[in-house]
Coordinates of all heavy atoms in Angstrom, one line a residue:
I1463 N 84.1 113.6 87.5 CA 85.6 113.4 87.7 C 85.8 112.0 87.7 O 85.5 111.3 88.7 CB 86.1 114.2 88.9 CG1 85.9 115.7 88.8 CG2 87.6 114.0 89.1 CD1 86.1 116.5 90.0
A1464 N 86.5 111.4 86.7 CA 86.7 110.0 86.7 C 88.0 109.6 87.4 O 87.9 108.5 88.0 CB 86.8 109.6 85.2
T1465 N 89.0 110.3 87.2 CA 90.3 110.0 87.8 C 91.0 111.2 88.3 O 91.0 112.3 87.7 CB 91.2 109.4 86.7 OG1 90.5 108.2 86.1 CG2 92.6 108.9 87.1
A1466 N 91.7 111.0 89.3 CA 92.6 112.0 89.9 C 94.0 111.5 89.8 O 94.3 110.4 90.0 CB 92.3 112.3 91.4
C1467 N 95.0 112.4 89.5 CA 96.3 112.1 89.2 C 97.3 113.0 89.9 O 97.2 114.2 89.8 CB 96.7 112.0 87.7 SG 98.3 111.5 87.3
D1468 N 98.3 112.5 90.7 CA 99.3 113.3 91.3 C 100.4 112.3 91.7 O 100.1 111.2 92.1 CB 98.7 113.9 92.7 CG 99.6 115.1 93.1 OD1 100.8 114.8 93.4 OD2 99.1 116.2 93.1
V1469 N 101.6 112.8 91.5 CA 102.8 112.0 91.9 C 103.0 111.8 93.4 O 103.5 110.8 93.8 CB 104.1 112.5 91.3 CG1 104.0 112.4 89.7 CG2 104.4 113.9 91.7
D1470 N 102.4 112.7 94.1 CA 102.6 112.7 95.6 C 101.3 111.9 96.1 O 100.1 112.4 96.1 CB 102.6 114.0 96.2 CG 102.8 114.0 97.7 OD1 102.4 113.1 98.3 OD2 103.4 115.0 98.2
E1471 N 101.5 110.7 96.6 CA 100.4 109.8 97.0 C 99.6 110.4 98.2 O 98.4 110.2 98.3 CB 100.9 108.4 97.3 CG 101.3 107.7 96.1 CD 101.7 106.2 96.4 OE1 101.6 105.8 97.5 OE2 102.2 105.6 95.4
S1472 N 100.3 111.1 99.1 CA 99.5 111.7 100.2 C 98.6 112.8 99.7 O 97.4 113.0 100.1 CB 100.5 112.2 101.3 OG 101.3 113.4 100.8
V1473 N 99.0 113.6 98.7 CA 98.2 114.7 98.1 C 97.1 114.0 97.3 O 95.9 114.4 97.5 CB 99.0 115.6 97.2 CG1 98.2 116.5 96.4 CG2 100.1 116.4 98.0
L1474 N 97.3 113.0 96.6 CA 96.4 112.3 95.9 C 95.3 111.7 96.7 O 94.1 111.9 96.4 CB 97.0 111.2 95.1 CG 96.2 110.3 94.1 CD1 95.5 111.2 93.1 CD2 97.1 109.2 93.4
R1475 N 95.6 111.1 97.8 CA 94.6 110.6 98.8 C 93.7 111.7 99.3 O 92.5 111.6 99.3 CB 95.3 109.8 100.0 CG 95.7 108.5 99.6 CD 96.2 107.7 100.9 NE 97.2 108.4 101.6 CZ 98.5 108.2 101.3 NH1 98.9 107.3 100.4 NH2 99.4 108.8 102.0
T1476 N 94.3 112.8 99.6 CA 93.5 114.0 100.1 C 92.6 114.5 99.0 O 91.4 114.7 99.3 CB 94.5 115.1 100.6 OG1 95.3 114.6 101.5 CG2 93.7 116.3 101.1
R1477 N 93.0 114.6 97.8 CA 92.2 115.1 96.7 C 91.1 114.2 96.4 O 89.9 114.6 96.1 CB 93.1 115.4 95.5 CG 94.0 116.5 95.7 CD 93.4 117.8 96.0 NE 94.4 118.7 96.7 CZ 94.3 119.1 97.9 NH1 93.3 118.8 98.7 NH2 95.2 119.9 98.4
V1478 N 91.4 112.9 96.4 CA 90.3 111.9 96.1 C 89.3 112.0 97.2 O 88.0 111.9 96.9 CB 90.9 110.5 96.0 CG1 89.8 109.4 96.1 CG2 91.7 110.3 94.8
S1479 N 89.7 112.1 98.5 CA 88.7 112.3 99.6 C 87.8 113.5 99.3 O 86.6 113.5 99.6 CB 89.4 112.3 100.9 OG 89.9 111.1 101.2
D1480 N 88.5 114.7 98.9 CA 87.8 115.9 98.7 C 86.8 115.7 97.6 O 85.6 116.3 97.7 CB 88.8 117.1 98.3 CG 89.7 117.5 99.5 OD1 89.4 117.2 100.6 OD2 90.7 118.2 99.1
I1481 N 87.2 115.1 96.5 CA 86.2 115.0 95.4 C 85.1 114.1 95.8 O 83.9 114.4 95.5 CB 87.0 114.3 94.2 CG1 88.0 115.3 93.7 CG2 86.0 113.9 93.1 CD1 89.1 114.7 92.7
E1482 N 85.3 113.0 96.6 CA 84.3 112.1 97.0 C 83.3 112.9 97.8 O 82.1 112.7 97.8 CB 84.9 110.9 97.6 CG 83.8 109.9 98.1 CD 84.3 108.6 98.6 OE1 85.5 108.7 99.2 OE2 83.6 107.6 98.6
R1483 N 83.8 113.6 98.8 CA 82.9 114.4 99.7 C 82.1 115.4 99.0 O 80.9 115.6 99.3 CB 83.8 115.1 100.7 CG 83.0 115.7 101.9 CD 83.9 116.5 102.9 NE 84.4 117.7 102.4 CZ 85.6 118.0 102.0 NH1 86.5 117.1 102.0 NH2 85.9 119.2 101.6
R1484 N 82.6 116.1 98.0 CA 81.9 117.1 97.3 C 80.9 116.6 96.2 O 79.9 117.2 95.9 CB 82.8 118.0 96.6 CG 83.6 118.9 97.6 CD 84.5 119.8 97.0 NE 85.3 120.5 98.0 CZ 85.9 121.6 97.8 NH1 85.8 122.2 96.6 NH2 86.6 122.2 98.7
T1485 N 81.3 115.4 95.6 CA 80.5 114.9 94.5 C 79.7 113.7 94.8 O 78.8 113.2 94.1 CB 81.3 114.6 93.2 OG1 82.2 113.5 93.6 CG2 82.2 115.8 92.8
G1486 N 80.0 113.0 95.9 CA 79.4 111.7 96.2 C 79.9 110.6 95.4 O 79.5 109.4 95.6
R1487 N 80.9 110.8 94.6 CA 81.6 109.7 93.8 C 83.1 109.8 94.1 O 83.6 110.8 94.0 CB 81.3 109.9 92.3 CG 79.8 109.8 91.9 CD 79.8 110.0 90.4 NE 78.4 109.8 90.0 CZ 78.0 109.2 88.9 NH1 78.9 108.7 88.1 NH2 76.7 109.0 88.6
K1488 N 83.6 108.5 94.2 CA 85.0 108.4 94.4 C 85.8 108.2 93.1 O 85.5 107.2 92.4 CB 85.3 107.3 95.4 CG 86.8 107.2 95.7 CD 87.0 106.1 96.7 CE 88.5 106.0 97.1 NZ 88.7 105.0 98.1
P1489 N 86.6 109.1 92.7 CA 87.3 108.8 91.3 C 88.5 107.8 91.5 O 88.9 107.6 92.7 CB 87.9 110.1 91.1 CG 88.2 110.8 92.4 CD 87.0 110.3 93.3
S1490 N 88.9 107.2 90.5 CA 90.1 106.3 90.6 C 91.3 107.3 90.8 O 91.2 108.5 90.6 CB 90.2 105.6 89.3 OG 90.5 106.4 88.2
A1491 N 92.3 106.7 91.3 CA 93.5 107.5 91.6 C 94.7 106.8 91.0 O 95.0 105.6 91.1 CB 93.7 107.5 93.1
V1492 N 95.5 107.7 90.3 CA 96.8 107.2 89.7 C 97.9 108.2 89.9 O 97.7 109.4 90.1 CB 96.6 107.0 88.1 CG1 95.6 105.9 87.8 CG2 96.2 108.3 87.4
T1493 N 99.1 107.6 89.9 CA 100.3 108.5 90.1 C 101.0 108.7 88.8 O 102.0 109.5 88.8 CB 101.3 107.9 91.2 OG1 101.6 106.6 90.7 CG2 100.6 107.9 92.5
D1494 N 100.6 108.1 87.7 CA 101.3 108.2 86.5 C 100.4 108.8 85.5 O 99.4 108.2 85.1 CB 101.8 106.8 86.0 CG 102.6 106.8 84.8 OD1 102.5 107.8 84.0 OD2 103.4 105.8 84.5
F1495 N 100.7 109.9 85.0 CA 99.8 110.7 84.1 C 99.6 109.9 82.7 O 98.5 110.0 82.1 CB 100.4 112.1 83.7 CG 99.5 112.9 82.9 CD1 98.4 113.4 83.3 CD2 100.0 113.3 81.6 CE1 97.6 114.2 82.5 CE2 99.3 114.1 80.8 CZ 98.0 114.5 81.2

């Protein structure tokens, strides 16, 4: 998972943390698809 995208920055932060915890890698985060 290279990038997570969500217009809601609070949801985006949560999802990035979830991905990092599960995969050991932190994806980039963007709000614009």
